[in-house]
Amino acid sequence: MKRPAIEIHHARSMDPEVLRQLAAGIEEEGAPHEMAVHDGGTDAGTLAARGARSSMLLVAIGIADDGSCAVAHDSFPPGRPVLVEPGPLTPEAARRVGQNAARIVTQIPLSL
């Protein structure tokens, strides 16, 4: 059985430090997360929307091969992510994206 978590759908080629900082940002805000690896060829918005549909928390992060990143909520139309971070995603930006994804779940103001 799946547990409630923000799903992180990322390309296999992602820098481990970027993923670590993304997870740290989510954890700082008190939300759980799960990672899912994709072989590539899919844009960040599509990965995030796919994850949001399957997440019990309705929120997911997608990171494409080029390092671009999107945060999606299942209530938003496909192709309309809540947040977009152009690539390549840096560790600092990844931490902020993780924090904001968790803030969407906990319904507190985003830190932009």
Side-chain angles (χ1 to χ4, degrees):
M1 181 179 199
K2 226 175 172 179
R3 68 183 181 110
I6 294 172
E7 293 193 13
I8 303 168
H9 290 237
H10 65 88
R12 187 173 305 281
S13 60
M14 276 311 303
D15 176 356
E17 179 60 16
V18 167
L19 294 175
R20 191 178 76 71
Q21 291 298 322
L22 187 66
I26 293 170
E27 291 166 3
E28 283 175 356
E29 298 294 333
H33 68 280
E34 288 187 2
M35 301 262 184
V37 179
H38 293 271
D39 286 323
T42 307
D43 66 272
T46 301
L47 287 172
R50 189 179 300 155
R53 280 192 305 274
S54 66
S55 168
M56 291 177 71
L57 297 179
L58 307 176
V59 175
I61 301 169
I63 310 172
D65 290 328
D66 65 358
S68 60
C69 179
V71 178
H73 190 285
D74 191 47
S75 68
F76 278 51
R80 300 282 312 258
V82 178
L83 297 170
V84 175
E85 183 75 36
L89 193 60
T90 64
E92 296 79 19
R95 193 174 198 112
R96 187 178 61 251
V97 167
Q99 290 168 336
N100 282 321
R103 285 172 175 231
I104 291 168
V105 170
T106 58
Q107 300 181 5
I108 61 175
L110 303 182
S111 173
L112 304 173

